[in-house]
């Protein structure tokens, strides 16, 4: 499928047969939900199912999920044969392994969460009623909270007073006893107890002083402290299962829950505990014979057998070959499926000439907090493009997994090292062939623009000699095979320098086919991130798919290695589908429903079943079970959306695309109001992001983004606006031409595409060309400002949220691969600063930011605001700040409040709709 557009700037509405989104009747004004209903305190959507994975037999599908409204992600297992689904864990099931105090805390905090949601919703509704002129007591929640606080303070004081009285009485009794003892020894009568009553009288007088009630301002201070103490943290709620691993053959799994490992076998009614600790554990793999497991804590790789007590440490501390005091810390361990081999990726501390640790790369920047009487600063990590890097020395060890009870062997030399230092070096996780005969990994050196792929062998042999038999099944039960080399260096099998593609390095992810004959990985050889195969024997490279689409997320293979399963946007850039690909011919068969976006997919080893979170604007995403042969009907396994969503879902967008001046196809969607006609002259707002971000963009058929989608729906339904969202050049998932468009001129390609869109709006969308606004967040906040400064007459007004205005101060992991060449010696990205451009502003601009944003620093908005004031733009620019907000806000400014501000801004600057 080709996505490059041809022809002139002609609009084509794209409601095709591949996108069967249901049409809707436009709502009446009375039926349009309020912003408080749309952005209610409790989200309408629960969490998606996570980590779906099939058992070896393919009969069972396990996943982590919980129904709408429940915290955490429990373990669920679906039986594809019977169609039944079992909830393996729940708060009630795991209560058998929890301390009563933890259970009570989970229950208490869950009630607190629900109460806070209800109170926030009621408060936001009341605030709007008050503004409409209704008689509403806006202090009722504070009054109730203070009354509760006063009772708590009184109870605490009574308890403290009782304890003090008891302590005093005990001290007085002890004093009298000692006095009586002294008198008896002196032959004198015991002294009278008059002192006790005097002390009691004095205490009573003091109590009257303490009983003076706190003033209201003092109670408010106390309430603020209480709310800060009791603020919900992620660990306060029941977490559910963190991770699970299926057995190699048996229909059973081991999962991790709160520092413990548990075993579940098909048909078990409840899980059985294996290891209970207070450490962070992670299951690595089952034993080859499924009779035990390998797992990790913070630093060690451990082995345990189900029928034996105790554990065995598999990875001793790693010693730096040049310095025995410099121990490597193991960061990643991967064990081959046959259990015979493991890779250990480790790093060592960097030390200076005096043996002292070298500081980490980057710097600490201060973020101001204004929540206390006096402003305070907290420090957050920041690494920018001109910071000297401090990468730790890295080493890769390949080790045969020792036999049970085997004495430790001598540490082998690493097979691969990197000295670290002032470099940008990244290394992928190691991938193993199923039989442990080969392993592979990739490296990326940003400054050199150098991508390398390595394949190593655990049984290297001279070229032309037949492979030795991999006999003597080893791993957890026996020893390594006769042919076992822990020190053979891996071979460099592919090198690409320069023309690599900025967005491919994070998705390369090498993996072997089941037969071990091919290494499959994602490359950008032809302008699109797609799956390629390297022949392990010949090192030949070949593409597995062809066409102008993205297909880099390989999900699995058939057992015979003849077919691959991959997520791809072939046919529709806004809807990833799951495809079965013939490894020989490249023929592709779509497995999921057309027009649905498929994410987090899994495929059974026998190739019969697939699963994915899939949905669209008409049917919100749920975990779906798909029969690969198409003979069984797709089954929906989860229900993650509140039924009340139906009352809010009053209008859906239509897809469209247009060709820009260069012939590129630009995707978008539009909300059109009731009674819309092409001849109208309505106000319109365009939402834009514009930056590359791995696989995400705005025009996705399962995305209900707060501003682009939900607020767009509201403004169209309530105020008759035409609300658009577009993906100009600069976005990911449209090929390298788009994702690399920012390089050395960020913002300019997007501004061109927006300019081309605006030309179409009057004739094609019924829009008044003089009443078009622009809005974006993060990179979109930068893009909005760039466009309004460089094309000051294009848009009538703009809203820029949390936009980076000084790229030299942004995180180097993003800026160095997205914007342009950087220099370690100076902040050269300042050449892309918006501050010198700000003088070009002619139309109203609202700048929005969370003042405690650790991602795009608040100073970026402060500094561009200063530049705007210095250039005489004070009448045009205004600030809307969240004192406690971070990058997505989330402080005192809630989504309903935030979009109320947007609504008022647009109505004031673009006016009411007048068809």
């Amino acid at each position: 499928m080709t996505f490059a557009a041809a022809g002139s700037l002609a609009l084509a509405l794209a409601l095709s047969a591949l996108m069967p989104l249901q049409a809707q009747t436009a709502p009446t004004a009375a039926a349009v939900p309020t912003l408080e209903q749309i952005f209610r305190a409790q989200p309408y959507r629960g969490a998606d199912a996570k980590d779906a994975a099939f058992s070896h037999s393919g009969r069972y599908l396990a996943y982590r999920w919980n129904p709408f409204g429940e915290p955490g992600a429990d373990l669920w297992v679906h039986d594809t044969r019977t169609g039944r689904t079992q909830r393996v864990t729940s708060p009630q099931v795991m209560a058998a392994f929890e301390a009563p105090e933890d259970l009570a805390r989970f229950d208490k905090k869950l009630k607190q969460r629900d109460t806070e949601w209800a109170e926030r919703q009621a408060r936001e509704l009341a605030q709007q009623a008050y503004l409409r002129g209704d008689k509403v007591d806006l202090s009722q929640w504070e009054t109730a909270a203070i009354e509760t606080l006063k009772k708590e303070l009184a109870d605490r004081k009574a308890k403290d007073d009782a304890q003090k009285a008891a302590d005093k009485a005990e001290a007085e009794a002890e004093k009298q006893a000692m006095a009586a003892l002294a008198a008896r020894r002196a032959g004198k009568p015991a002294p009278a107890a008059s002192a006790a009553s005097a002390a009691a009288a004095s205490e009573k007088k003091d109590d009257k002083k303490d009983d003076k009630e706190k003033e209201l301002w003092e109670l408010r201070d106390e309430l603020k402290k209480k709310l800060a103490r009791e603020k919900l943290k992620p660990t306060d709620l029941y977490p559910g299962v963190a991770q699970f691993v299926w057995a190699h053959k048996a229909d059973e799994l081991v999962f991790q829950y709160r520092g413990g490992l548990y075993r579940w076998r098909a048909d078990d009614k409840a899980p059985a505990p294996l290891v209970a600790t207070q450490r962070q554990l992670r299951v690595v793999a089952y034993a080859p014979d499924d009779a035990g497991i390998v797992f990790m804590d913070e630093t060690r790789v451990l082995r345990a057998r189900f029928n034996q007590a105790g554990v065995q440490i598999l990875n001793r501390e790693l010693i730096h070959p040049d310095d025995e005091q410099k121990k490597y810390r193991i960061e990643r361990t991967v064990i081959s499926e046959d259990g015979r081999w493991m890779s250990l990726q480790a790093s060592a501390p960097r030390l200076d000439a005096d043996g002292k640790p070298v500081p980490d790369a980057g710097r600490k920047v201060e973020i101001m907090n204004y929540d206390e009487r006096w402003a305070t600063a907290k420090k957050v990590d920041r690494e920018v493009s001109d910071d000297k890097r401090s990468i730790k020395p890295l080493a890769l060890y390949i080790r045969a997994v020792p036999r049970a009870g085997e004495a430790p062997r001598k540490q082998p030399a690493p097979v691969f090292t990197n000295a670290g230092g002032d470099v940008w070096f990244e290394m992928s996780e190691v991938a193993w062939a199923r039989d442990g005969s080969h392993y592979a990994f990739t490296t990326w050196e940003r400054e050199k623009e150098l991508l390398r792929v390595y394949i190593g062998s655990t049984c290297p042999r001279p070229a032309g000699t037949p492979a030795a038999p991999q006999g003597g099944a080893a791993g957890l039960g026996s020893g390594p095979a006769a042919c076992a080399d822990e020190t053979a260096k891996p071979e460099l099998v592919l090198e690409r320098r320069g023309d690599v593609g900025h967005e491919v390095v994070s998705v390369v992810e090498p993996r072997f086919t089941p037969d071990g004959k091919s290494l499959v990985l994602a490359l950008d050889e032809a302008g699109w991130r797609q799956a390629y195969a390297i022949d392990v024997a010949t090192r030949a490279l070949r593409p597995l798919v062809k066409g102008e689409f993205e297909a880099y997320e390989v999900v699995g293979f058939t057992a015979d290695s003849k077919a691959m399963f991959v997520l791809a946007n072939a046919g529709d850039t806004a809807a990833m589908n799951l495809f079965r690909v013939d490894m020989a011919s490249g023929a592709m068969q779509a497995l999921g429903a057309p027009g649905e976006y498929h994410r987090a997919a899994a495929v059974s080893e026998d190739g019969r079943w697939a699963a994915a979170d899939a949905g669209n604007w008409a049917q919100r995403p749920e975990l779906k079970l798909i029969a690969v042969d198409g003979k069984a009907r797709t089954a929906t396994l989860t229900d993650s959306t509140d039924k009340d969503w139906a009352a809010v879902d009053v209008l859906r967008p239509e897809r469209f695309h247009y060709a820009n001046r260069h012939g590129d196809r630009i995707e978008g969607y539009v909300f059109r109001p009731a009674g819309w006609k092409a001849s109208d002259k309505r106000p319109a707002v365009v939402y834009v992001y514009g930056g590359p971000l791995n696989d995400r963009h705005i025009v996705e058929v399962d995305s209900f983004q707060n501003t682009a989608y939900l607020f767009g729906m509201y403004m169209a339904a309530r105020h008759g606006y035409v609300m658009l969202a577009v993906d100009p050049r600069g976005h990911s998932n449209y090929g390298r031409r788009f994702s690399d468009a920012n390089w050395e001129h960020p913002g300019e390609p997007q501004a061109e595409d927006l300019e081309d869109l605006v030309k179409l709006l009057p004739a094609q969308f019924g829009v008044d060309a003089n009443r078009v606004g622009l809005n974006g967040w993060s990179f979109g906040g930068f893009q909005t400002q760039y466009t309004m400064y460089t094309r000051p007459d294009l848009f009538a007004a703009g809203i820029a949220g949390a936009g980076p205005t000084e790229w030299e101060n942004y995180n180097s992991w993003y800026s160095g691969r997205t914007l342009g060449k950087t220099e370690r010696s100076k902040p050269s990205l300042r050449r892309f600063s918006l501050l010198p451009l700000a003088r070009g502003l002619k139309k109203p601009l609202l700048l929005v930011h969370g003042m405690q944003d650790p991602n795009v620093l608040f100073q970026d908005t402060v500094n561009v605001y200063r530049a705007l004031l210095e250039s005489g733009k004070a009448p045009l620019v205004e600030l809307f700040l969240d004192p406690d907000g971070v990058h997505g806000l989330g402080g005192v400014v809630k989504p309903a409040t935030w979009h109320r501000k947007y609504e008022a801004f647009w109505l004031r600057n673009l006016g009411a709709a007048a068809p």
Side-chain angles (χ1 to χ4, degrees), residues 379-415:
K379 294 182 180 293
V380 298
D381 293 326
R382 196 74 167 183
E383 184 181 352
V384 297
S385 59
D386 55 306
D387 279 335
K388 186 174 182 179
R389 306 211 78 219
S390 182
I391 299 300
K392 295 177 180 179
L394 177 148
L396 173 65
Y397 293 83
I398 299 298
R399 284 186 170 181
V401 177
R403 296 187 298 266
E406 178 184 1
R409 303 192 199 101
K410 182 180 178 181
Q411 175 181 302
V415 299

Side-chain angles (χ1 to χ4, degrees), residues 688 774-776 778-792 798-806 834-835 837-838 840-841 845-849 856 860-861 863-865 868 877:
V688 67
L774 182 63
N775 183 200
S778 195
F779 195 103
F782 160 80
Q783 188 59 54
T784 297
Q785 292 185 65
Y786 179 91
T787 306
M788 300 215 37
Y789 301 157
T790 62
R791 289 159 175 80
I799 299 177
T805 64
E806 298 177 286
L834 289 180
L835 273 59
L837 303 178
L841 183 71
L845 175 64
L846 174 63
L847 299 175
V848 186
H849 216 125
V856 178
D860 280 36
T861 289
N863 289 336
V864 81
Y865 182 60
L868 288 163
V877 65

Side-chain angles (χ1 to χ4, degrees), residues 101-143:
E101 297 86 351
D102 285 334
L103 293 174
R105 179 170 60 89
F106 288 153
D107 185 59
K108 176 184 176 182
K109 290 296 185 178
L110 180 60
K111 291 177 180 176
Q112 177 183 332
R113 184 202 70 175
D114 293 344
T115 299
E116 288 178 357
W117 275 348
E119 181 180 306
R120 175 183 141 194
Q121 186 67 18
R123 189 167 55 246
E124 290 182 351
L125 290 171
Q127 288 165 351
Q128 290 307 306
Y130 177 83
L131 293 177
R132 290 194 303 268
D134 296 353
K135 188 174 182 180
V136 177
D137 180 8
L138 294 181
S139 65
Q140 58 182 294
W141 295 279
E142 181 189 64
T143 300

Side-chain angles (χ1 to χ4, degrees), residues 65 70 75 214-215 392 395 404 538 619 650 682 697 729:
W65 174 77
E70 294 190 30
L75 179 64
K214 291 180 182 291
E215 294 187 39
K392 295 177 180 179
T538 68
Q619 297 177 340
V650 295
R682 296 175 180 268
H697 46 106
R729 284 172 294 156

Side-chain angles (χ1 to χ4, degrees), residues 68-114:
F68 173 80
E70 294 190 30
D74 277 311
L75 179 64
W76 300 68
V77 177
H78 178 79
D79 186 338
T80 62
R81 186 177 301 172
T82 66
R84 292 196 295 267
T85 301
Q86 178 181 350
R87 184 173 185 171
V88 176
T89 65
S90 67
Q92 295 73 31
V93 170
M94 302 313 293
F97 313 107
E98 285 283 10
E101 297 86 351
D102 285 334
L103 293 174
R105 179 170 60 89
F106 288 153
D107 185 59
K108 176 184 176 182
K109 290 296 185 178
L110 180 60
K111 291 177 180 176
Q112 177 183 332
R113 184 202 70 175
D114 293 344

Side-chain angles (χ1 to χ4, degrees), residues 638-762:
T638 58
D639 186 7
S640 307
T641 302
D642 189 350
K643 300 301 182 289
D644 288 344
W645 167 252
V648 174
D649 183 26
V650 295
L651 191 63
R652 295 195 190 115
E654 298 175 52
R655 297 270 304 282
F656 71 90
H657 64 262
Y658 66 96
N660 68 7
R661 66 192 66 182
H662 304 288
D664 301 304
R665 174 167 164 156
I666 308 300
E667 298 285 343
Y669 66 76
V670 57
F671 285 99
R672 294 190 290 189
W676 175 92
K677 300 187 299 295
S679 58
D680 290 346
K681 290 186 176 296
R682 296 175 180 268
V685 177
V686 178
Y687 188 88
V688 67
Y689 178 69
L693 193 62
N694 294 328
D695 66 334
R696 299 311 297 260
H697 46 106
I698 298 301
V699 184
E700 299 172 338
V701 296
D702 67 339
S703 174
F704 296 80
Q705 202 265 359
N706 271 358
T707 305
Y709 190 99
L710 296 178
F711 183 65
M713 174 183 70
Y714 171 82
M715 289 295 291
R718 173 71 66 179
H719 296 294
Y721 274 43
V722 174
M723 302 295 288
L724 307 97
V726 294
D727 281 345
R729 284 172 294 156
H731 275 282
S732 303
N733 259 22
Y734 290 103
R736 196 198 304 184
R737 178 171 169 79
F738 272 57
S739 62
D740 284 7
N742 280 297
W743 196 249
E744 291 301 336
H745 49 166
E748 182 60 22
Q750 298 92 324
E752 288 183 354
D753 295 348
L754 291 169
E755 204 169 28
D756 293 342
L757 172 66
V758 171
K759 293 177 183 177
L760 301 172
L761 294 182

